[in-house]
Amino acid sequence: MVSESETSAIGNALVVLGAAGIVIPAFARFRISPVIGFILVGLLVGPSGLGALAADYPWLEHVTIGSTEDIALFAELGIILLLFSIGLELSFRRLWQLRKLVFGIGAAELALGGLILGGALMLLTDYSTPAAFGLGIALALSSTALVLPIAGTKSAVGRASFSMLLFEDLALVPIIFILAAFGPTAAGDSTELLLTTLWQGALVVAALAIGGWFLLPRIFAQAARAKDPELFLAASLLVVIVAALATAAVGLSPIVGALLAGLMIAETEYHGEVEAITAPFKGLALGVFLISVGMGLNLETIAEQWPQLVAAVVGVVAIKAIVTAALLRFSNVARRGTAAEVGLLMSSPSETTLIVLATALQAQIISRDTAEFWQLVTAIGLTITPLLARVGHDIARRIEMGSEAASHEDTPTSRTVIVGFGRVGRTVAELLRQHDRPYIAVDADIDTVAAARRDGFAVRFADVARPGSLDKLGIEQADAIVLTMDDPVQQLRMTRHLRKTHPRLPIISRARDADHAAALYQAGASDAVPETLESSLQLAEAVLIDLGVAMGPVIASIHDVRAKMRHDIMTKGDLDQEPRIRKVRRPAPEGDAA
């Protein structure tokens, strides 16, 4: 016979899986973050939603979750898998490059934000000094579980956010011990216990890193030879759980172990397969965490204390946003738009705030009513994080566009003009920047322009389809123009116009295939690069080399294919000489042409 606890567990699983199956596609259809959907599901099925009616309507017990404790373990697993997946996207070399951001800006943001929030609480409330500054440092923490899925780790916003969040995660253990030491019930050996935890934690992290360096390639090699996806998944989860348990055993946060496990696997050749096979579990488990956040929202308390709650949420968000943005801007780490976006994105409290509040309550630094009030503020802050991210993105875009006029004066007149800033245009710009060649890029997508400017690229908003837009770029002074947009008709039209008005201007254009390249050469392009040809040749080269064919014959055969393509383009375009496909050479200056 099935026990009551087993029935409850099955019902909870039904609610979670049902929420994932409904929320993710429904909110994706309307382009709304599923984060909000999961939190709303938690509010709906939680104790203050339909769960409050379960006593009167027993059938609701099968579609509601009685308490957050019922899914707490799975919610914690979601955060662990999230940090693990973040580690997979990083490497030890990249972490070393971020060390100044992590221990400089990250430390300053947490300390300054905690001091200002604590000072404000001392002035506006009757909290004791330990209570005020304990709450201040708790509220200064930001949500790793929500911020990183929104910002990633590779963009300018993502790099700055990740650096500060990483320091906060590392500082969590010292914060907990310091709060315990200030409590009236604190034992005299709190400092000794903190030092013990730190040296033991350092020892465990070193042991995991060394052990992972030698063991992980062998473990995953065996799993790969078995050609069994289940075995590969089991090995991945085993590594994550062992690392998380090892750090938790010495008092460190388990998410530190999960991040370390991801970093270690990222150094192996199996990181792509591991990331793909664990992604579904990460998304589902993170959804459970968000449901638990929604379950923490008590509608009755919100109705009774809404003025205080609104004031608290607005105050915390405003102080954290200003502190974070100011630090990033005045330290010259980020542009104004990026600083504003990161400030708003990091302005809500964190899931770890709940851990610090629980520690402060256990140490009797704050009362139960105070803890419950700030737990509710934290839950509301987590709920509005996607909205803050959207507002921050819009503000950043306005700031970057507002500063565009001033940047025009600083742009050199002699430069390469890149039209279109998708993946091809960005790659061209990166290489030009790497070789210290001045350039200016334009794109008709305002979001693309804003994102590129936040990443430090010289990009303007312009719709080249409008007459006269190209003339404003100073084409007459340009060294060359590169057409990278994915619009064959517009490329041909622009090539004809540019060749007619600027006969000596080098025009390098992206082409879809040989026919398109031939048409571009007929229109006056100096060089047209068929993207399908080059990608096919690189793929064929990799295959032949991996199959053991010598490099010399491979290069010779590739040259033959490229020569045949040049001949085909020459025939189709009715050209007098074979076109160049790969090399882009500037023509000699007028004084040298003789």
Side-chain angles (χ1 to χ4, degrees), residues 233-320:
L233 174 61
S236 303
L237 294 178
L238 176 64
V239 171
V240 179
I241 294 173
V242 167
L245 288 176
T247 53
V250 295
L252 294 177
S253 172
I255 63 179
V256 175
L259 180 64
L260 181 61
L263 285 168
M264 291 187 298
I265 295 178
E267 300 295 331
T268 71
E269 58 182 313
Y270 306 102
H271 64 92
E273 181 69 17
V274 172
E275 185 175 3
I277 206 167
T278 57
F281 294 89
K282 177 197 70 175
L284 183 59
L286 183 59
V288 176
F289 163 72
L290 297 172
I291 290 176
S292 68
V293 171
M295 292 173 63
L297 296 174
N298 191 315
L299 296 179
E300 292 184 2
T301 305
I302 292 176
E304 293 173 359
Q305 302 183 17
W306 71 265
Q308 298 96 313
L309 289 170
V310 170
V313 172
V314 171
V316 170
V317 168
I319 290 174
K320 291 182 66 178

Side-chain angles (χ1 to χ4, degrees), residues 31 39 42 121 142 186 190 287 296 307 327 343 368 398 429 432 435 437 454 539:
R31 297 184 179 180
I39 293 176
L121 289 172
S142 300
S190 294
L327 279 173
R368 181 167 297 277
R398 291 177 181 272
L432 288 172
H435 291 279
R437 297 290 182 177
R454 287 198 299 273
L539 181 63

